[in-house]
Amino acid sequence: QSVLTQPPSVSGAPGQRVTISCTGSSSNIGAGFDVHWYQQLPGTAPKLLIYGNSNRPSGVPDRFSGSKSGTSGSLAIAGLQAEDEADYYCQSYDIILSGYVFGSGTRVTVL
Amino acid sequence: EVQLVESGGGLVQPGRSLRLSCTASGFTFGDYAMSWVRQAPGKGLEWIGFTRSKAYGGTTEYAASLKGRFTISRDDSKSIAYLQMNSLKTEDTAVYYCPRVASEFCRGGVCYPRGGNDYWGPGTLVTVSS
C-alpha cells in the first residue's frame, strides 16, 4: 500500500484534458515537501515530468502542468495525444519515513 | 551530457548477495545526492534509499522495509554509486535504477533531497530465483 494515493487509471479521447490526483498526508505533501511527477513509457525508465509541484524540465511540453494544495498534488494533461499513453507516478518526501515515497502509479489510456 | 549506467544485475539464488554499480558521467558526481529505486515486474516504483552529497553530510537513508539488508555507498573519485544487497529474496526481483537527485537543502539541521530525480539510467535487472 503506497503512502501516496493515485487512481489506478484515467482515460480520455485525443484532445481532451485529464487530471491525475496524488493524495498524501501531513507527514509528506502536507508537511511542505514538494510533489514531483514522472512519466514512464512502456519498456523505458521513468522520466521527470514535473518538479517542485509545477515546474517543467526543459523539453517537456506545456500541455503538462502540475499543482499542489494542502496534502495533495495534481497532474493535468491538456490536449491529450496518443504518445501520452504511459504510467505516471507522483513522488514526495516523507518526514516520518525519512525518505522519498512514490504514488502507486496511474495508467493513462488514450481512447 | 548526463549519463547514468547501472550494472551488476543478473540471476542470483535466494539468500545470496549482489552488488550493483551506477557509473555516472557528464556532471560533477560528488556535488549530487544519488538514489536507488526499483521496479518489480509489472509493479510500481519503490524507493530504496539515497546517499547525500558530501556537502550535505554524505549520509544515507533507506526505506524501512529494506534497511539492514541493503547498503548504499559511493566513491566520488570514481563517480560510482553502489547498492550492496544481502540475503536476497525472490521478492527482490526487479529492475534497479540509480537516479540522480536534482538538488538538496537543509532545514532545522536536517538535509533533504529537492527537485526530484532528474536523470535516470536504463536500469539493471536482478532476478532472484533458485
Side-chain angles (χ1 to χ4, degrees):
Chain A
Q1 188 170 349
S2 298
V3 173
L4 304 179
T5 301
Q6 298 179 233
S9 63
V10 299
S11 61
Q16 283 191 328
R17 181 178 187 271
V18 296
T19 61
I20 301 170
S21 60
C22 174
T23 303
S25 67
S26 59
S27 65
N28 41 68
I29 300 174
F33 291 101
D34 290 339
V35 181
H36 318 296
W37 291 91
Y38 299 87
Q39 178 192 59
Q40 187 175 31
L41 298 170
T44 69
K47 167 191 165 185
L48 183 63
L49 196 65
I50 296 288
Y51 68 94
N53 305 317
S54 59
N55 301 289
R56 286 185 308 276
S58 175
V60 173
D62 60 6
R63 303 186 292 104
F64 295 92
S65 61
S67 63
K68 170 188 166 182
S69 178
T71 58
S72 295
S74 182
L75 173 71
I77 309 174
L80 199 61
Q81 299 182 5
E83 66 208 50
D84 299 333
E85 276 208 343
D87 293 324
Y88 294 81
Y89 295 90
C90 62
Q91 178 195 48
S92 187
Y93 188 89
D94 191 285
I95 202 163
I96 292 177
L97 299 175
S98 295
Y100 268 140
V101 288
F102 284 102
S104 46
T106 299
R107 173 71 54 88
V108 169
T109 302
V110 182
L111 302 173
Chain B
E1 179 193 5
V2 172
Q3 286 196 323
L4 297 165
V5 178
E6 301 89 348
S7 60
L11 176 64
V12 60
Q13 293 180 325
R16 303 297 289 265
S17 298
L18 198 64
R19 188 178 80 161
L20 306 182
S21 299
C22 170
T23 303
S25 60
F27 65 101
T28 304
F29 182 78
D31 288 348
Y32 289 85
M34 298 296 296
S35 292
W36 283 93
V37 173
R38 70 180 182 180
Q39 186 171 34
K43 302 296 185 182
L45 302 174
E46 180 183 11
W47 180 80
I48 295 171
F50 76 102
T51 170
R52 295 180 175 88
S53 67
K54 192 169 291 185
Y56 286 85
T59 52
T60 54
E61 302 287 353
Y62 299 93
S65 61
L66 299 174
K67 197 172 183 178
R69 287 198 305 127
F70 287 18
T71 302
I72 296 171
S73 60
R74 61 189 297 160
D75 185 335
D76 290 349
S77 68
K78 296 181 178 178
S79 298
I80 300 177
Y82 300 100
L83 177 65
Q84 177 69 41
M85 304 183 292
N86 298 328
S87 303
L88 282 163
K89 307 174 182 180
T90 56
E91 52 262 42
D92 294 321
T93 294
V95 174
Y96 286 74
Y97 300 100
C98 66
R100 189 180 81 169
V101 177
S103 65
E104 300 167 88
F105 76 102
C106 298
R107 183 172 74 191
V110 182
C111 296
Y112 304 97
R114 175 164 61 185
N117 296 118
D118 57 354
Y119 287 93
W120 296 64
T124 186
L125 175 63
V126 173
T127 303
V128 183
S129 174
S130 54

